[in-house]
Amino acid sequence: MAGLCKATIIGNLGGDPEMRYTPAGRAFTTFNVACNRTYTTPEGERREETEWFRVTAWSRLAELCNQFLSKGRRVYIEGRLSSRSWEGADGQKRFSLEIAANEMVLLDTRPRGESGSETHPGVEESHDLDSIPF
Protein backbone atom coordinates (compact mmCIF):
# COMPACT_ATOMS: atom_id res chain seq x y z
CA MET A 1 0.00 0.00 0.00
CA ALA A 2 1.32 3.44 -0.96
CA GLY A 3 1.96 6.15 1.64
CA LEU A 4 0.60 9.67 1.67
CA CYS A 5 2.78 12.77 1.88
CA LYS A 6 0.43 15.65 1.15
CA ALA A 7 0.27 19.27 2.28
CA THR A 8 -2.59 21.75 1.92
CA ILE A 9 -2.20 25.39 2.94
CA ILE A 10 -4.12 28.65 2.59
CA GLY A 11 -2.21 31.86 3.14
CA ASN A 12 -0.71 35.01 1.67
CA LEU A 13 2.42 35.37 -0.43
CA GLY A 14 5.26 36.98 1.48
CA GLY A 15 6.91 38.30 -1.68
CA ASP A 16 6.81 38.11 -5.44
CA PRO A 17 7.50 34.67 -6.92
CA GLU A 18 10.84 33.98 -8.58
CA MET A 19 10.92 31.90 -11.76
CA ARG A 20 14.09 30.19 -12.99
CA TYR A 21 15.01 27.34 -15.29
CA THR A 22 16.96 24.15 -14.78
CA PRO A 23 19.97 23.53 -17.07
CA ALA A 24 17.65 21.26 -19.08
CA GLY A 25 15.24 24.19 -19.62
CA ARG A 26 12.47 23.13 -17.20
CA ALA A 27 10.73 26.09 -15.52
CA PHE A 28 10.36 26.27 -11.74
CA THR A 29 8.98 29.03 -9.54
CA THR A 30 9.61 29.47 -5.83
CA PHE A 31 7.70 31.62 -3.35
CA ASN A 32 6.87 31.82 0.35
CA VAL A 33 3.38 31.59 1.83
CA ALA A 34 2.48 32.85 5.31
CA CYS A 35 -0.31 31.06 7.19
CA ASN A 36 -1.71 32.78 10.28
CA ARG A 37 -3.18 31.01 13.27
CA THR A 38 -5.11 32.79 16.01
CA TYR A 39 -5.65 31.19 19.40
CA THR A 40 -6.47 32.05 22.99
CA THR A 41 -4.05 31.14 25.79
CA PRO A 42 -5.28 29.47 29.00
CA GLU A 43 -5.01 32.94 30.59
CA GLY A 44 -7.51 34.30 28.05
CA GLU A 45 -4.97 36.27 26.01
CA ARG A 46 -5.56 36.23 22.26
CA ARG A 47 -2.42 35.51 20.20
CA GLU A 48 -1.53 35.16 16.56
CA GLU A 49 1.27 33.06 15.09
CA THR A 50 2.56 32.97 11.54
CA GLU A 51 4.06 29.89 9.91
CA TRP A 52 6.05 30.32 6.68
CA PHE A 53 6.12 27.69 3.95
CA ARG A 54 8.46 27.56 0.98
CA VAL A 55 6.64 26.42 -2.17
CA THR A 56 8.09 25.25 -5.48
CA ALA A 57 5.98 24.84 -8.63
CA TRP A 58 7.24 23.18 -11.80
CA SER A 59 6.62 23.42 -15.56
CA ARG A 60 3.26 24.95 -16.59
CA LEU A 61 2.15 25.54 -12.99
CA ALA A 62 5.44 27.42 -12.45
CA GLU A 63 4.63 29.71 -15.37
CA LEU A 64 1.09 30.34 -14.09
CA CYS A 65 2.32 31.10 -10.56
CA ASN A 66 4.89 33.53 -11.93
CA GLN A 67 2.25 35.22 -14.10
CA PHE A 68 -0.60 35.58 -11.59
CA LEU A 69 0.94 35.61 -8.10
CA SER A 70 2.41 38.62 -6.35
CA LYS A 71 3.16 39.72 -2.81
CA GLY A 72 0.04 39.70 -0.62
CA ARG A 73 -2.11 37.48 -2.88
CA ARG A 74 -4.21 34.92 -0.99
CA VAL A 75 -3.72 31.39 -2.35
CA TYR A 76 -4.65 27.78 -1.80
CA ILE A 77 -1.69 25.46 -2.38
CA GLU A 78 -1.79 21.69 -2.51
CA GLY A 79 1.21 19.46 -3.06
CA ARG A 80 3.60 16.98 -1.56
CA LEU A 81 6.15 17.58 1.16
CA SER A 82 9.72 17.48 -0.08
CA SER A 83 12.89 17.63 2.01
CA ARG A 84 16.35 18.72 0.93
CA SER A 85 19.69 18.73 2.68
CA TRP A 86 22.97 20.42 1.84
CA GLU A 87 26.17 21.62 3.43
CA GLY A 88 26.31 25.36 4.07
CA ALA A 89 29.31 27.62 3.43
CA ASP A 90 30.16 27.31 7.14
CA GLY A 91 30.36 23.50 6.84
CA GLN A 92 27.11 22.91 8.76
CA LYS A 93 24.56 20.44 7.44
CA ARG A 94 21.33 22.27 6.50
CA PHE A 95 17.82 20.91 5.99
CA SER A 96 14.77 22.35 4.30
CA LEU A 97 11.19 21.14 4.12
CA GLU A 98 9.14 22.61 1.29
CA ILE A 99 5.91 21.99 -0.61
CA ALA A 100 6.20 20.80 -4.21
CA ALA A 101 2.94 22.28 -5.51
CA ASN A 102 0.68 20.41 -7.88
CA GLU A 103 -2.31 22.73 -7.48
CA MET A 104 -2.70 26.48 -6.95
CA VAL A 105 -5.97 28.42 -6.62
CA LEU A 106 -6.19 32.21 -6.28
CA LEU A 107 -8.55 33.07 -3.43
CA ASP A 108 -8.75 36.83 -3.82
CA THR A 109 -10.13 38.85 -6.70
CA ARG A 110 -7.23 41.24 -7.04
CA PRO A 111 -3.84 41.84 -5.43
CA ARG A 112 -3.84 43.58 -2.06
CA GLY A 113 -3.32 47.30 -2.26
CA GLU A 114 -5.24 47.70 -5.52
CA SER A 115 -8.46 49.61 -5.11
CA GLY A 116 -11.35 50.39 -7.37
CA SER A 117 -12.72 48.32 -10.18
CA GLU A 118 -10.76 46.96 -13.07
CA THR A 119 -10.78 49.16 -16.14
CA HIS A 120 -11.60 47.69 -19.51
CA PRO A 121 -10.73 49.54 -22.73
CA GLY A 122 -13.78 50.93 -24.45
CA VAL A 123 -16.05 50.59 -21.39
CA GLU A 124 -17.10 53.78 -19.67
CA GLU A 125 -17.76 53.53 -15.93
CA SER A 126 -20.91 55.25 -14.69
CA HIS A 127 -21.30 56.38 -11.09
CA ASP A 128 -24.90 57.63 -11.51
CA LEU A 129 -27.15 54.76 -10.30
CA ASP A 130 -30.30 56.57 -11.54
CA SER A 131 -29.06 56.28 -15.13
CA ILE A 132 -29.17 52.46 -15.08
CA PRO A 133 -32.15 51.39 -17.28
CA PHE A 134 -33.36 48.49 -15.09
Side-chain angles (χ1 to χ4, degrees), residues 9 35 46-47 66 70 104-105 110-112 114 128 130:
I9 60 171
C35 298
R46 192 171 162 91
R47 290 200 181 156
N66 188 60
S70 58
M104 180 274 297
V105 178
R110 68 173 65 94
R112 287 181 174 216
E114 285 188 16
D128 183 9
D130 294 331

Side-chain angles (χ1 to χ4, degrees), residues 9-15 31-37 49-54 73-75:
I9 60 171
I10 294 176
N12 296 87
L13 262 70
F31 52 93
N32 294 312
V33 177
C35 298
N36 296 326
R37 175 176 91 97
E49 291 180 349
T50 302
E51 292 287 340
W52 287 92
F53 296 91
R54 183 161 182 81
R73 295 296 305 256
R74 188 150 183 84
V75 292

Side-chain angles (χ1 to χ4, degrees), residues 25-81:
R26 188 173 176 207
F28 69 100
T29 297
T30 57
F31 52 93
N32 294 312
V33 177
C35 298
N36 296 326
R37 175 176 91 97
T38 304
Y39 65 96
T40 304
T41 65
E43 295 80 28
E45 182 182 350
R46 192 171 162 91
R47 290 200 181 156
E48 184 174 325
E49 291 180 349
T50 302
E51 292 287 340
W52 287 92
F53 296 91
R54 183 161 182 81
V55 179
T56 302
W58 291 89
S59 302
R60 181 66 180 135
L61 183 58
E63 294 169 358
L64 291 171
C65 288
N66 188 60
Q67 181 180 355
F68 292 107
L69 297 182
S70 58
K71 182 178 180 177
R73 295 296 305 256
R74 188 150 183 84
V75 292
Y76 166 92
I77 299 290
E78 185 176 301
R80 66 178 172 78
L81 292 174

